[in-house]
Amino acid sequence: MARPSVAGQRREEILDALEVCILEKGIQATSLENIAETAKMKRTILRHYIGNRDDIICLLSERWRDKYTQQWQELLTWLPSSNRAEALIDSLFSSRSKESINTTIIGEALFSEAKRLAPIKVHQQHIMQEFIQHLIHEFQTQYPDAESKRVELIAYGIYANYLMAESLLPLGLLDEIYKFKQASVLLCSQLT
């Protein structure tokens, strides 16, 4: 009888180790040796299950793309049946836990690799398009008389505010984050 494959488990352990390294050292300072040491594996095992450092970073980016999609599904399920746009804005700008700070740090690290690694650029484009499409859908549903071009531009503006607020999160600039939330609420008010 054949042994069950541990490839999936090993890949997850390697990606978990990369996340830890990013949080401890930053993505640029993280080497294949750092990842292997953190995962308690030999470099050859990393190469066997995923590949080189860039392959591991790309696979982590894919994992995060999927994680963002799952988070959207959970958020959309959680939103109330009325005033969804307001609840959505509130939710986007409210999470300030240590976990959300770590998520921001890892997300920004992956974003920084998008210029260098084409698969990550594709993942980042997917994340952006999904974010904006969800906003557009929610706004069009709540404000059916709003001009579609206006809805789209407001969605882009809120996305930009969200990215800026997230980049300020690790710096602890909560007053500024609150202002980005208020700017998004103001943008949303232009749909009525």
Side-chain angles (χ1 to χ4, degrees), residues 66-97:
D66 295 345
K67 181 177 181 173
Y68 287 129
T69 296
Q70 180 183 358
Q71 287 175 340
W72 268 112
Q73 295 310 311
E74 291 169 5
L75 174 59
L76 294 172
T77 302
W78 170 84
L79 289 176
S81 56
S82 62
N83 298 320
R84 289 174 64 90
E86 292 83 356
L88 178 56
I89 299 290
D90 189 52
S91 178
L92 289 172
F93 291 90
S94 294
S95 181
R96 304 295 167 243
S97 66

Side-chain angles (χ1 to χ4, degrees), residues 48-59:
H48 172 74
Y49 285 110
I50 298 180
N52 64 28
R53 179 180 178 275
D54 287 351
D55 294 333
I56 297 170
I57 292 170
C58 289
L59 193 58

Side-chain angles (χ1 to χ4, degrees), residues 78-124:
W78 170 84
L79 289 176
S81 56
S82 62
N83 298 320
R84 289 174 64 90
E86 292 83 356
L88 178 56
I89 299 290
D90 189 52
S91 178
L92 289 172
F93 291 90
S94 294
S95 181
R96 304 295 167 243
S97 66
K98 178 68 173 168
E99 181 182 340
S100 64
I101 292 170
N102 289 346
T103 296
T104 296
I105 292 168
I106 293 168
E108 287 181 351
L110 291 170
F111 184 83
S112 74
E113 295 292 307
K115 183 177 180 181
R116 194 174 66 79
L117 299 169
I120 295 177
K121 181 178 180 180
V122 171
H123 298 155
Q124 292 297 320

Side-chain angles (χ1 to χ4, degrees), residues 2-185:
R3 288 189 309 173
S5 174
V6 295
Q9 178 184 339
R10 290 291 179 260
R11 281 192 293 274
E12 292 302 312
E13 291 168 355
I14 294 166
L15 297 178
D16 290 344
L18 176 54
E19 288 181 4
V20 169
C21 289
I22 290 170
L23 293 171
E24 290 177 355
K25 304 172 187 328
I27 200 162
Q28 282 74 27
T30 296
S31 66
L32 205 53
E33 291 80 16
N34 299 135
I35 300 167
E37 181 181 312
T38 303
K40 297 179 179 34
M41 297 177 191
K42 295 181 181 179
R43 275 182 53 185
T44 55
I45 299 295
L46 271 63
R47 288 188 178 277
H48 172 74
Y49 285 110
I50 298 180
N52 64 28
R53 179 180 178 275
D54 287 351
D55 294 333
I56 297 170
I57 292 170
C58 289
L59 193 58
L60 181 63
S61 177
E62 183 178 317
R63 175 203 248 187
W64 278 78
R65 180 203 62 204
D66 295 345
K67 181 177 181 173
Y68 287 129
T69 296
Q70 180 183 358
Q71 287 175 340
W72 268 112
Q73 295 310 311
E74 291 169 5
L75 174 59
L76 294 172
T77 302
W78 170 84
L79 289 176
S81 56
S82 62
N83 298 320
R84 289 174 64 90
E86 292 83 356
L88 178 56
I89 299 290
D90 189 52
S91 178
L92 289 172
F93 291 90
S94 294
S95 181
R96 304 295 167 243
S97 66
K98 178 68 173 168
E99 181 182 340
S100 64
I101 292 170
N102 289 346
T103 296
T104 296
I105 292 168
I106 293 168
E108 287 181 351
L110 291 170
F111 184 83
S112 74
E113 295 292 307
K115 183 177 180 181
R116 194 174 66 79
L117 299 169
I120 295 177
K121 181 178 180 180
V122 171
H123 298 155
Q124 292 297 320
Q125 288 172 323
H126 173 87
I127 290 166
M128 178 185 78
Q129 290 167 354
E130 182 177 31
F131 192 110
I132 290 168
Q133 288 307 311
H134 285 303
L135 289 178
I136 289 171
H137 174 75
E138 291 300 326
F139 295 160
Q140 286 176 332
T141 301
Q142 187 164 332
Y143 306 104
D145 296 332
E147 179 190 355
S148 61
K149 189 65 175 171
R150 178 180 286 254
V151 170
E152 179 185 35
L153 291 174
I154 288 171
Y156 271 89
I158 291 171
Y159 179 67
N161 286 344
Y162 174 79
L163 288 180
M164 191 62 197
E166 286 295 297
S167 71
L168 297 175
L169 185 57
L171 304 176
L173 300 174
L174 301 182
D175 290 339
E176 289 77 3
I177 292 169
Y178 179 74
K179 288 177 185 170
F180 281 109
K181 177 181 179 180
Q182 291 307 106
S184 296
V185 169

